[in-house]
C-alpha cells in the first residue's frame, strides 16, 4: 500500500508553515547569515570599547537594521538604542523565548545578502589589537635559558 501525501493546507495547519534554515535564523536574531554586516556576542555586550566599532558600522551601513536581543540588561539595550537613534537607523527588539538562550545579542543586518567578513565586532577589535602587537613583536626575543641568569 502506497503512502498518500497529505494536503499541503492540512500539513501547514498541523505542523506550521515550513521555514528555510530555522536554526540559522534563530542564531542571527531572525536573519540569514549572508545578510549580517556585524554582530556581538553576549560575553562582550556590556563592554564600552565596542561601541566605537558599532559607530563605524552604523555609519558605513545606513540602510541596515539593528536587531537587539530583548533578554539582555536594559541599560545595555538603551546604549544600543541611543546609538541607533543617533544614526537614524531602524532597530528591532527580539523578545521571543527562543532568543533567551542565544549567544548572539546584537546584529546589524541588511535587507539582502551582503556576504561580509569579518562579522563579529569582537574580531574587528582584536584584529586591530593584533596588528599593533605584531609591530611590537619585531624586537628580538631572548632565549628562555638566558632569562634564568
Amino acid at each position: 500500500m502506497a503512502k498518500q501525501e497529505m494536503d499541503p493546507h492540512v500539513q501547514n495547519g498541523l505542523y506550521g508553515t515550513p521555514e528555510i534554515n530555522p536554526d540559522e535564523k534563530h542564531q542571527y536574531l531572525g536573519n540569514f547569515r549572508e545578510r549580517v554586516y556585524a554582530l556581538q556576542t553576549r560575553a562582550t555586550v556590556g563592554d564600552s570599547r565596542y561601541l566605537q566599532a558599532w559607530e563605524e558600522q552604523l555609519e558605513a551601513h545606513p540602510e541596515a537594521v539593528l536587531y537587539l536581543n530583548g533578554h539582555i540588561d536594559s541599560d545595555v539595550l538603551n546604549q544600543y538604542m541611543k546609538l541607533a537613534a543617533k544614526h537614524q537607523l531602524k532597530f528591532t527588539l527580539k523578545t521571543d523565548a527562543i532568543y533567551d538562550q542565544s549567544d548572539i545579542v546584537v546584529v546589524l543586518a541588511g535587507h539582502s545578502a551582503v556576504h561580509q567578513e569579518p562579522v563579529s565586532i569582537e574580531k574587528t577589535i582584536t584584529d586591530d589589537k593584533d596588528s599593533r602587537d605584531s609591530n611590537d613583536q619585531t624586537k628580538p626575543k631572548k632565549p628562555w635559558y638566558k632569562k634564568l641568569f
Side-chain angles (χ1 to χ4, degrees), residues 4 7-8 10 17 21-23 28 43 50-51 58 61 63 66 68 74 91 95 103 106 125 129-130 139 144:
Q4 292 184 345
D7 182 37
V10 174
T17 306
N21 297 339
D23 293 335
Y28 296 107
Y50 296 107
L51 289 178
L58 297 181
H61 310 291
E63 76 289 347
L66 189 66
L68 303 169
S74 62
F91 67 89
T95 57
D103 188 41
V106 182
I125 297 292
K129 181 182 170 190
D130 290 343
K139 299 175 187 174
W144 67 272

Side-chain angles (χ1 to χ4, degrees), residues 70-141:
H71 296 281
I72 59 175
D73 187 41
S74 62
D75 294 334
V76 176
L77 274 176
N78 286 336
Q79 290 177 348
Y80 290 97
M81 288 189 286
K82 287 178 183 176
L83 195 62
K86 177 181 173 183
H87 293 280
Q88 299 176 349
L89 195 75
K90 295 178 183 178
F91 67 89
T92 301
L93 285 175
K94 295 290 191 167
T95 57
D96 294 344
I98 192 83
Y99 302 121
D100 189 25
Q101 302 300 320
S102 177
D103 188 41
I104 297 173
V105 292
V106 182
V107 173
L108 182 67
H111 298 289
S112 60
V114 294
H115 301 290
Q116 181 173 328
E117 293 291 333
V119 171
S120 177
I121 285 290
E122 291 92 345
K123 287 183 182 179
T124 61
I125 297 292
T126 56
D127 288 347
D128 292 343
K129 181 182 170 190
D130 290 343
S131 65
R132 281 184 262 131
D133 290 344
S134 65
N135 293 338
D136 295 341
Q137 292 178 357
T138 57
K139 299 175 187 174
K141 291 188 175 184

Side-chain angles (χ1 to χ4, degrees), residues 21-76:
N21 297 339
D23 293 335
E24 179 180 333
K25 287 181 77 174
H26 292 151
Q27 181 179 2
Y28 296 107
L29 300 180
N31 294 287
F32 293 113
R33 162 62 187 89
E34 62 263 10
R35 294 182 179 182
V36 176
Y37 287 111
L39 60 88
Q40 190 169 5
T41 60
R42 191 178 295 268
T44 62
V45 75
D47 197 343
S48 61
R49 65 184 171 146
Y50 296 107
L51 289 178
Q52 180 60 36
W54 277 110
E55 288 257 2
E56 294 169 6
Q57 287 290 329
L58 297 181
E59 288 174 6
H61 310 291
E63 76 289 347
V65 178
L66 189 66
Y67 293 88
L68 303 169
N69 190 330
H71 296 281
I72 59 175
D73 187 41
S74 62
D75 294 334
V76 176

